[in-house]
Amino acid sequence: MPPAPHKPDPDAWSDNAVTLAWLGHATVLINLYGVRILTDPALFARIGIDAWFGSIGPLRLTASALAPAELPDIDLVLVSHAHFDHLDTPSLAAVRGRPAAVMAPETSDLLPRRRYSSVRELRWDEAVRIDTPRGDVRVRAVEVKHWGARLQHDTHRGYNGYVVEREGRRLLIAGDTADTPRFASYRRYGPYEAAVMPIGAYDPWIHNHCTPEQAVAMAHAAGARLFVPVHHQSFALSREPYHEPIERTQAALAREPERLAIREIGQLVRIV
C-alpha cells in the first residue's frame, strides 16, 4: 500500500482561516476558524466487517494521508451514512479528543460511545448548533440521492449531506450522492466557500453515485466557489480506472481550473 502523495501538517494551520485537507476516500480534515472537523473517517488499511483481528473488507489502494495518532484533537465528526466506507467503527473509535458527532438518522447505534462528548442524529433540513471548546458551529442536514442500509435488511437507516457554517463561512459536504436536482435548492443556504463532492464509484453504481461531470454541475448549482473532489483513489469499489474520476473532473472544470482545489490525497486548500 503506497503512502499518500502529500502529508498535511494540521499543527501549522491558522485558526483564522478555513483549511481543508483530503485524507483519502470521503475523509476530510477541516479547520473552520479553529474548530476541527472530520468527515466520514476511514483511516486504517481496510474497511469492512469488524473482526477480532481487524476489518474484513477492501484494502486501501493508497494510505490515509494521516494516521489516527497524527490527527489533532477533533471537535466534531460528521458521518453521512452507515456504509462501511463511511462509517468505519475502528476509525471512529480512534479519533483523538472528545468530539461531538452528527450523524444520519438511525445510525448512532453503530458509533463507539466512549470518545464522544455528544451524539446527534439529524433528519433532512434539521439544523443544530454544536458548542465545542473552540467555539460553536452550525450543522444542517440536507437530502442527497443515495441509500443508507449497512446490511441488506436495515433499510431504516438514513443518509445525509451537510451544510457547515461558522463565522459566516459555509461548506457543503455531500457525503455520497447520485445525480439529483436538489443541490440547486441548497443555494439558499449559501454561498459556500467550497463543496466537498464524491466523484467515484459510478461504474456500475450510477444510480447511487454521480459521475464527475454531475458532481461539478451539482456544486455549481448550489453556488460553491471551490470544488473539493473525494471518494476516489482510495479503495477499489467499482470498475472505473484509478485516474479516470479526477481526469474527468479536470476536464469538466477546464474552463475554470482555479475552482478545482484538490487533486491528490493529502493535498489541502486554505481559504482566508
Side-chain angles (χ1 to χ4, degrees), residues 130-196:
I130 303 295
D131 293 314
T132 82
R134 296 182 179 88
D136 66 280
V137 59
R138 185 172 176 83
V139 181
R140 178 182 296 275
V142 295
E143 181 178 354
V144 296
K145 185 180 179 182
H146 199 55
W147 58 291
R150 190 169 181 85
L151 303 169
Q152 291 185 355
H153 63 276
D154 56 345
T155 55
H156 62 285
R157 300 189 189 278
Y159 48 95
N160 290 341
Y162 295 104
V163 174
V164 184
E165 178 180 357
R166 175 167 162 79
E167 302 289 344
R169 299 289 186 98
R170 301 171 191 87
L171 303 172
L172 177 59
I173 300 167
D176 249 356
T177 186
D179 189 30
T180 171
R182 292 281 182 182
F183 280 77
S185 69
Y186 304 147
R187 185 178 284 264
R188 69 186 186 272
Y189 301 131
Y192 304 103
E193 300 301 324
V196 178

Side-chain angles (χ1 to χ4, degrees), residues 6 21 26 42 51 58 64 81 92 100 108 111 116 137 144 168 197-198 200 210 216 223 241 244-245 248 262:
H6 307 273
S64 172
H81 62 293
L92 288 164
S108 61
L111 184 69
Y116 288 84
V137 59
V144 296
M197 301 293 296
C210 58
V216 169
E244 182 180 283
R248 288 176 61 169
I262 289 173

Side-chain angles (χ1 to χ4, degrees), residues 8-270:
D9 180 10
D11 290 338
W13 298 355
S14 171
D15 289 345
N16 295 313
V18 181
T19 306
L20 301 89
W22 179 37
L23 304 189
H25 203 52
T27 308
V28 180
L29 176 62
I30 303 167
N31 183 324
L32 186 57
Y33 286 109
V35 174
R36 278 75 166 176
I37 302 169
L38 193 64
T39 70
D40 287 346
L43 304 168
F44 292 105
R46 289 188 185 273
I47 51 169
I49 298 172
D50 295 339
W52 67 269
F53 52 83
S55 297
I56 303 173
L59 180 68
R60 298 187 81 104
L61 303 175
T62 305
S64 172
L66 292 176
E70 297 173 316
L71 292 173
D73 285 355
I74 301 298
D75 301 300
L76 173 63
V77 171
L78 298 176
V79 181
S80 62
H81 62 293
H83 291 172
F84 286 101
D85 57 325
H86 292 258
L87 199 163
D88 180 62
T89 51
S91 296
L92 288 164
V95 171
R96 293 183 58 181
R98 293 194 67 250
V102 173
M103 309 184 71
E106 307 295 335
T107 61
S108 61
D109 61 299
L110 301 170
L111 184 69
R113 300 283 182 176
R114 61 186 179 87
R115 291 184 176 271
Y116 288 84
S117 60
S118 66
V119 180
R120 179 69 182 266
E121 293 183 352
L122 292 184
R123 298 188 179 276
W124 296 334
D125 210 33
E126 288 183 341
V128 64
R129 190 185 77 176
I130 303 295
D131 293 314
T132 82
R134 296 182 179 88
D136 66 280
V137 59
R138 185 172 176 83
V139 181
R140 178 182 296 275
V142 295
E143 181 178 354
V144 296
K145 185 180 179 182
H146 199 55
W147 58 291
R150 190 169 181 85
L151 303 169
Q152 291 185 355
H153 63 276
D154 56 345
T155 55
H156 62 285
R157 300 189 189 278
Y159 48 95
N160 290 341
Y162 295 104
V163 174
V164 184
E165 178 180 357
R166 175 167 162 79
E167 302 289 344
R169 299 289 186 98
R170 301 171 191 87
L171 303 172
L172 177 59
I173 300 167
D176 249 356
T177 186
D179 189 30
T180 171
R182 292 281 182 182
F183 280 77
S185 69
Y186 304 147
R187 185 178 284 264
R188 69 186 186 272
Y189 301 131
Y192 304 103
E193 300 301 324
V196 178
M197 301 293 296
I199 64 167
Y202 48 83
D203 180 11
W205 319 117
I206 190 63
H207 296 295
N208 293 305
H209 297 94
C210 58
T211 66
E213 296 82 4
Q214 290 166 342
V216 169
M218 287 188 287
H220 179 74
R225 182 165 65 92
L226 297 176
F227 186 85
V228 178
V230 299
H231 209 281
H232 66 113
Q233 298 185 17
S234 302
F235 297 99
L237 303 178
S238 52
R239 293 197 299 244
E240 70 267 7
Y242 181 84
H243 290 293
E244 182 180 283
I246 192 62
E247 289 172 349
R248 288 176 61 169
T249 301
Q250 290 176 295
L253 288 168
R255 294 185 179 182
E256 304 173 285
E258 69 282 357
R259 289 183 61 204
L260 182 54
I262 289 173
R263 293 169 174 80
E264 296 181 319
I265 295 172
Q267 284 186 324
L268 62 85
V269 58
R270 182 172 180 265

